[in-house]
Amino acid sequence: MASVKLSPWICGARGVLPIFTRATLAGNQLTITGAGTVVVRATQAGDERYQAALAEQSIQVAKAGQSVSFAAIADQGYSTNVVSLVASASSGLTVGFRVVGGSAMVEGSQLRLTGVGTTSVAADQSGNANYLAAAS
């Protein structure tokens, strides 16, 4: 019996093209590495008894969910000018901050207090080609 060759492909505007950014193949082990459409193509070259053959299967790989962990901010006195904000996304992607209410401004990962009262801050991660957006 002739051997069968497997390879990951992606459907694109130019037909079926090889791509190894969404899947890798080692032997008969397909490892998904990104969201999108992966087409697994199996080919058999044929021999003196059998004609060449080709089969394809499409796999739709959805974006992964993620969560944001946002460290609690302790109450601050009015004399405090800047508070460091600490948050991380389960995806490892960069987290952004924004003031939801109160007297403050966000500059990168620093909260600059501009008045007294309660201030609310949100931590968000907008997602990318492989991850959905997440908020704290």
Side-chain angles (χ1 to χ4, degrees):
M1 176 179 234
S3 65
V4 175
K5 179 181 177 188
L6 297 173
S7 55
W9 298 70
I10 181 169
C11 290
R14 296 181 176 186
V16 180
L17 304 171
I19 189 163
F20 295 94
T21 58
R22 292 192 178 115
T24 60
L25 187 66
N28 66 350
Q29 182 74 38
L30 182 69
T31 302
I32 302 299
T33 58
T37 302
V38 175
V39 178
V40 180
R41 177 181 282 176
T43 58
Q44 190 268 351
D47 59 19
E48 65 280 345
R49 293 183 60 199
Y50 297 98
Q51 292 183 356
L54 174 120
E56 291 182 349
Q57 290 289 325
S58 294
I59 303 167
Q60 295 296 333
V61 181
K63 289 184 178 186
Q66 63 174 328
S67 59
V68 172
S69 298
F70 190 8
I73 303 168
D75 288 345
Q76 303 293 315
Y78 181 69
S79 62
T80 304
N81 191 19
V82 176
V83 177
S84 292
L85 303 173
V86 179
S88 62
S90 60
S91 63
L93 298 172
T94 303
V95 175
F97 302 96
R98 61 187 166 86
V99 174
V100 178
S103 299
M105 299 181 315
V106 172
E107 298 169 353
S109 62
Q110 302 292 311
L111 178 66
R112 183 168 307 279
L113 303 173
T114 59
V116 296
T118 300
T119 297
S120 298
V121 179
D124 303 304
Q125 205 307 306
S126 59
N128 66 8
N130 295 321
Y131 289 94
L132 297 168
S136 60

